[in-house]
Amino acid sequence: MTLRDRGTMKWTSIFLPEHVAELRRLKSEIDHAYVRNPAIDPEQWSDFESKIQYAYRTGMDCEIRYWRNWTAERVSGVIESVDPVGGSLRIDGVIVPFREIVWVALEDV
């Protein structure tokens, strides 16, 4: 005689239809609460690179929005350093990897 496990089937009989509906509703709310990471096309990234280089060389203030932990964060100030090998920059004490950047804007003085 072999022992046969029913897998997840053994747990589904415990849930009432109301429980299943509530779990689906909660999952839907959670999925909609977090915005998906926006895709950056190569042309837009080229524009970001130009603005980052200009701001770094001139010491101009800029605003960088980046994607971290399922939320969009924002930091403004002068770019302190750029690490092309490590793929990150430091602005206002915050290290931002290039892959997390979703928006760059130069601030008018």
Side-chain angles (χ1 to χ4, degrees):
M1 181 169 162
T2 16
L3 179 63
R4 291 181 49 206
D5 187 19
R6 294 181 293 160
T8 59
M9 189 172 74
K10 63 185 170 193
W11 298 108
T12 56
S13 63
I14 295 174
F15 292 122
L16 295 173
E18 296 83 18
H19 294 152
V20 174
E22 184 66 16
L23 287 172
R24 286 186 181 141
R25 186 188 67 75
L26 286 171
K27 183 182 181 319
S28 175
E29 281 182 17
I30 290 170
D31 287 346
H32 287 77
Y34 295 109
V35 181
R36 303 284 184 236
N37 187 359
I40 306 298
D41 63 6
E43 186 176 320
Q44 191 175 19
W45 179 247
S46 177
D47 181 49
F48 291 169
E49 284 180 325
S50 299
K51 288 178 181 177
I52 289 169
Q53 288 177 5
Y54 182 78
Y56 181 60
R57 287 184 188 152
T58 62
M60 178 183 269
D61 285 352
C62 69
E63 174 185 344
I64 295 180
R65 295 181 192 165
Y66 58 98
W67 187 259
R68 189 171 288 166
N69 298 330
W70 294 94
T71 58
E73 302 287 336
R74 183 178 83 87
V75 63
S76 296
V78 176
I79 297 175
E80 300 163 8
S81 66
V82 176
D83 180 12
V85 176
S88 65
L89 60 86
R90 183 180 181 96
I91 178 171
D92 198 31
V94 178
I95 296 175
V96 181
F98 293 147
R99 69 180 184 282
E100 293 181 356
I101 295 174
V102 294
W103 182 255
V104 177
L106 298 175
E107 294 185 357
D108 297 328
V109 179

